[in-house]
Amino acid sequence: MIDLSRRETALPELMDDPDCDLDALHRTYGHFVLVNRLVAGWRPLYRRRIRPLLSPAGAPTTLLDLGSGGGDVARALAAWARRDGLRLDVTGADPDDRAHAYATAQPQPPGVTFVRAASRDLVAEGRRFDLVVSNHVVHHLDAAELAGVLRDSEGLAGRLVLHNDIARGRLAYGAYWAATVAGFRGSFIHPDGLLSIRRSYRADELRRAIPAGWRVERPWPFRLVLSFTPGAQEHANA
Ligand SMILES: C[S@@+](CC[C@H](N)C(=O)[O-])C[C@H]1O[C@@H](n2cnc3c(N)ncnc32)[C@H](O)[C@@H]1O
């Protein structure tokens, strides 16, 4: 029986091995399109948290997808905004060469750009975005990396940060095991997804791991959203 009482922090995911099978990695990025659509909940997050901040005219709102991997979340957000007649420029950033090469090789909807960069590189370049989001990045990071990404996010975002990730739990683990055990051949979706759940936080653990000004939200079962609204603390203390 897998022990989910504590976060798994030692075992790395297969896709993080620089020498992993490239074909399997590409199939994994491809399979993420479906998996993210089914489990990550970006459509309701877009409708409730992102769409109200967009406008049909004037300068486009800018959004950074940090750790964009194969790029499916960046492409989906840009496509939804375009379909709604709203102006949104999306930048997907990932320091992994393989992710960047895969993301840039896909057909892109208008309004999406990918850069090979980590959050600290973008801060060093003085880049700023209205919105900063990420999907399935938080559970990848150790404590120092998480602190760095949150500090970078605060420096990069003008209006809102949403880091969306898995909430560790037995039900999530069992449901994911059953849903992915038979399909997704030749990719890392099954083993890495299960390990991702083991590496993920529970809400109380994540609350203890974050600095002041950040909030842990649980919008629906199996998910945690780490949010930050620049300026909210000053308003609260005023
Ligand atoms: C599991 S992948 C998630 C990919 C994609 N967001 C998705 O949901 O399919 C995590 C990604 O975060 C990237 N990453 C880790 N630390 C980062 C940082 N500081 N800045 C930008 N990307 C980072 C890694 O290179 C990796 O591609």
Side-chain angles (χ1 to χ4, degrees):
M1 181 78 89
I2 293 289
D3 179 13
L4 291 169
S5 63
R6 275 175 297 125
R7 278 191 76 211
E8 169 60 59
T9 53
L11 284 177
E13 294 177 33
L14 295 171
M15 64 185 296
D16 290 334
D17 176 354
D19 297 323
C20 76
D21 180 327
L22 204 55
D23 290 336
L25 182 67
H26 286 173
R27 275 192 289 275
T28 305
Y29 289 138
H31 289 156
F32 267 133
V33 177
L34 178 64
V35 171
N36 282 336
R37 193 177 304 157
L38 292 178
V39 306
W42 277 102
R43 182 67 191 158
L45 267 182
Y46 164 76
R47 271 196 272 110
R48 289 179 208 158
R49 307 294 292 279
I50 296 175
R51 189 165 65 184
L53 302 176
L54 308 184
S55 159
T61 300
T62 54
L63 180 147
L64 170 67
D65 176 16
L66 208 51
S68 47
D72 56 293
V73 171
R75 286 190 293 274
L77 292 171
W80 292 333
R82 190 174 163 77
R83 206 182 305 153
D84 289 337
L86 298 167
R87 293 174 60 72
L88 179 66
D89 270 356
V90 178
T91 301
D94 202 300
D96 187 321
D97 286 341
R98 305 161 310 168
H100 181 70
Y102 182 89
T104 49
Q106 305 313 302
Q108 310 298 346
V112 183
T113 313
F114 289 99
V115 294
R116 184 174 36 235
S119 50
R120 65 178 169 280
D121 304 322
L122 300 172
V123 172
E125 288 168 18
R127 298 286 304 269
R128 293 278 290 167
F129 302 85
D130 297 309
L131 316 174
V132 173
V133 307
S134 77
N135 188 61
H136 296 163
V137 173
V138 168
H139 74 259
H140 261 263
L141 310 172
D142 64 26
E145 290 168 334
L146 177 62
V149 163
L150 299 190
R151 201 170 42 243
D152 294 343
S153 305
E154 291 182 27
L156 290 165
R159 299 179 72 186
L160 180 65
V161 183
L162 297 172
H163 291 307
N164 179 10
D165 210 337
I166 306 159
R168 190 176 80 252
R170 190 150 293 289
L171 202 55
Y173 192 89
Y176 189 87
W177 188 95
T180 59
V181 68
F184 306 108
R185 295 218 175 278
S187 88
F188 304 135
I189 283 287
H190 183 67
D192 274 3
L194 292 175
L195 184 52
S196 294
I197 296 170
R198 294 171 63 191
R199 291 186 59 91
S200 294
Y201 289 83
R202 291 191 163 139
D204 56 328
E205 294 166 344
L206 193 52
R207 281 190 191 103
R208 287 195 293 273
I210 55 176
W214 287 83
R215 286 181 54 197
V216 175
E217 305 171 26
R218 193 151 188 200
W220 40 86
F222 314 148
R223 301 300 294 181
L224 296 176
V225 175
L226 195 46
S227 70
F228 178 81
T229 305
Q233 255 196 320
E234 286 87 333
H235 291 136
N237 295 336

